[in-house]
C-alpha cells in the first residue's frame, strides 16, 4: 500500500510545480495555491489520525508551530533585506514544513538555496542592473532532488 508520505510528497510536488511556473512567469505565488495546500494537508490529517490517533495530531501541532516560526523569521529576513525574499516564498517555505520531515525540509531548503545562487550567478554575469530571480523554481527543483535522491 502507498504510505502517507507518498501522498504528502506528491501533493507537495504539485503545489511546488504550479507555484514555480507562476513565479517564473509572473514573479508571484498565488495565495490560492497555498490555501489549497493547507486545506489538503488538513484533510490528510484525518487519515493520519485514523492510523496513528492523537500522536498524529501532536506531530501536526508541532509542525504548525514550527511553520509559524518559519513564517515569522521569513518576515524578519524580508524586512532586513528589503525585497530579498517575497512573501509568497516565505509562505511556501512554511507550507513545505507541514508536508516534510524536518531533515528533508532543511535539505530541500539547502539544495534550493544552492540552485538559486547558481541561477543568480548565471543570470547576473555581465549585467549591471538588478535582476529579479524567482525562488519557487529552485524550491521545486531542490525539493525534488532531495526527495528523489533521498538526501537528508
Amino acid at each position: 500500500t502507498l504510505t502517507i508520505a507518498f501522498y504528502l510528497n506528491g501533493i507537495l510536488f504539485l503545489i511546488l510545480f504550479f507555484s514555480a511556473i507562476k513565479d517564473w512567469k509572473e514573479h508571484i505565488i498565488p495565495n490560492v495555491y497555498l490555501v489549497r495546500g493547507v486545506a489538503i494537508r488538513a484533510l490528510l490529517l484525518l487519515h493520519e489520525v485514523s492510523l496513528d490517533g492523537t500522536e498524529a495530531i501532536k506531530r501536526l501541532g508541532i509542525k504548525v508551530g514550527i511553520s509559524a516560526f518559519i513564517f515569522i523569521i521569513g518576515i524578519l529576513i524580508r524586512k532586513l533585506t528589503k525585497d530579498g525574499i517575497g512573501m509568497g516564498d516565505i509562505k511556501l517555505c512554511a507550507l513545505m514544513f507541514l508536508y516534510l520531515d524536518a531533515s528533508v525540509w532543511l535539505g530541500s531548503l539547502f539544495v534550493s538555496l544552492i540552485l538559486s545562487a547558481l541561477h543568480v550567478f548565471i543570470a547576473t554575469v555581465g549585467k549591471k542592473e538588478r535582476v529579479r530571480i524567482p525562488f519557487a523554481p529552485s524550491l521545486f527543483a531542490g525539493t525534488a532532488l532531495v526527495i528523489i535522491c533521498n538526501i537528508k
Side-chain angles (χ1 to χ4, degrees), residues 93 96 105-124 133-143 145-146 151-152:
C93 286
M96 286 171 56
W105 181 83
L106 281 171
S108 295
L109 192 59
F110 181 72
V111 172
S112 299
L113 288 169
I114 291 170
L115 294 173
S116 186
L118 289 171
H119 185 186
V120 167
F121 178 75
I122 292 167
T124 59
I133 305 294
F135 188 50
S138 295
L139 282 173
F140 171 68
T143 302
L145 282 171
V146 167
I151 302 169
K152 293 182 182 178

Side-chain angles (χ1 to χ4, degrees), residues 2 4 16 44 52 73 77 93 96 122 130 139 149:
L2 298 176
I4 193 73
L16 290 172
L44 286 171
D52 202 16
I73 295 297
I77 292 170
C93 286
M96 286 171 56
I122 292 167
R130 189 168 180 213
L139 282 173
C149 297

Side-chain angles (χ1 to χ4, degrees), residues 35-110:
V35 169
R36 287 178 183 161
V38 170
I40 292 167
R41 184 64 183 98
L43 288 173
L44 286 171
L45 175 63
L46 296 175
H47 179 65
E48 288 178 72
V49 168
S50 73
L51 297 175
D52 202 16
T54 57
E55 286 301 313
I57 295 171
K58 288 179 189 175
R59 280 193 308 271
L60 191 63
I62 292 167
K63 284 182 162 285
V64 168
I66 293 172
S67 290
F69 180 74
I70 291 166
F71 181 75
I72 291 166
I73 295 297
I75 289 173
L76 290 174
I77 292 170
R78 180 175 167 78
K79 295 286 185 196
L80 293 173
T81 60
K82 189 169 179 358
D83 298 329
I85 187 168
M87 281 303 299
D89 300 322
I90 294 167
K91 291 182 270 189
L92 192 58
C93 286
L95 176 70
M96 286 171 56
F97 194 82
L98 293 177
Y99 281 83
L100 299 172
D101 290 335
S103 62
V104 176
W105 181 83
L106 281 171
S108 295
L109 192 59
F110 181 72

